[in-house]
Amino acid sequence: MATPEMITAWTETERLLRNSFVLLDAEVAKEFDCDVKQILEFLDHNELGLAFDYLFSIVQEAQWNSAPILQSLVIAAESMGLAEEVGLLNNRVSSLHNQEHAA
């Protein structure tokens, strides 16, 4: 049985994933239309891990240079305890910041 703490954590994770989702570029969302629909279905059915996986995959393929969505996904991954993904995302965000400072 789900505890109130678990429900609160799931609600917060869902909010974080939806916030990340809205940061998808319109052209990217159009290009990945089937995946986008799948993400929304996963979110609607509390399949947060699957929603994250699909969103993370889209970001890697199409928005790997978008710091706002990467940072948003870092927070979502942290809330889900996805240490490997947190590391990958943090490394990418750091890389983008380093590129900005070098320019």
Side-chain angles (χ1 to χ4, degrees):
M1 181 170 199
T3 66
E5 293 81 17
M6 292 169 68
I7 293 170
T8 299
W10 292 336
T11 301
E12 177 62 11
T13 300
E14 180 184 352
R15 185 190 67 75
L16 292 165
L17 289 171
R18 288 187 186 276
N19 286 347
S20 298
F21 179 81
V22 299
L23 293 172
L24 284 174
D25 179 85
E27 288 299 315
V28 171
K30 184 177 177 182
E31 178 182 346
F32 292 90
D33 182 58
C34 289
D35 291 335
V36 165
K37 288 177 184 171
Q38 192 66 58
I39 291 167
L40 291 172
E41 187 171 322
F42 288 145
L43 289 171
D44 288 342
H45 292 94
N46 203 33
E47 296 288 345
L48 305 178
L50 292 170
F52 178 88
D53 289 344
Y54 271 66
L55 189 53
F56 183 66
S57 177
I58 291 171
V59 169
Q60 282 183 305
E61 289 184 46
Q63 280 192 257
W64 203 230
N65 291 324
S66 173
I69 196 168
L70 293 170
Q71 291 166 331
S72 183
L73 283 175
V74 165
I75 299 167
E78 287 172 343
S79 76
M80 297 174 76
L82 302 174
E84 184 176 335
E85 289 82 353
V86 168
L88 287 169
L89 290 161
N90 276 329
N91 287 340
R92 185 62 191 154
V93 170
S94 293
S95 175
L96 289 175
H97 287 303
N98 291 339
Q99 289 173 8
E100 288 175 6
H101 292 290

